[in-house]
Amino acid sequence: MTDWELYVEDGVVVANFSDGMPSDAEEYTKVNEQFEELAAQGGVNAHLSLLNMSSSLNKDVFEKAKEAAEVGTEYGITKWAVVSDGIKSMALSSQVKDVAGVDVETFNNEADALAWAAE
């Protein structure tokens, strides 16, 4: 069983990271591979990260997020919404904001984030 899932909804690649999601580079490499597969299908212009995991974010996670944002721009993904209860969304968004051409916003709930990302 995986502690994460990626799917496309309303032209947005949604990454749902559940409680128990490990925060190691190997796991996020798998996430990025699936992200690129979904982005390559076309018709996607945004990404939504739902950070529901209890583990803290670390350097590996930030590096993989930046890699995903950079790859996403190659497929026309220019918006990235981040949802989390705590400081995780601010920490992740601060890393992704460094990627040229990506507009990043943080949200408190999935509905608002999806509405913004799908605009």
Side-chain angles (χ1 to χ4, degrees), residues 2-4 17-32 51-65 88 91-92:
T2 341
D3 296 312
W4 55 271
F17 302 114
S18 306
D19 195 22
M21 170 75 181
S23 59
D24 60 79
E26 184 178 315
E27 194 69 25
Y28 280 92
T29 296
K30 294 175 192 173
V31 171
N32 283 3
L51 307 178
N52 295 314
M53 72 283 221
S54 56
S55 61
S56 59
L57 304 179
N58 59 39
K59 182 180 174 210
D60 289 340
V61 174
F62 294 138
E63 285 177 10
K64 292 299 177 187
K88 286 181 185 150
L92 184 64

Side-chain angles (χ1 to χ4, degrees), residues 62 65-66 69 80 82 89-106 116:
F62 294 138
K66 286 176 87 168
W80 192 313
V82 184
S89 61
M90 291 183 289
L92 184 64
S93 67
S94 71
Q95 297 296 312
V96 175
K97 283 181 181 179
D98 290 343
V99 177
V102 179
D103 185 16
V104 183
E105 294 289 334
T106 59
W116 174 81

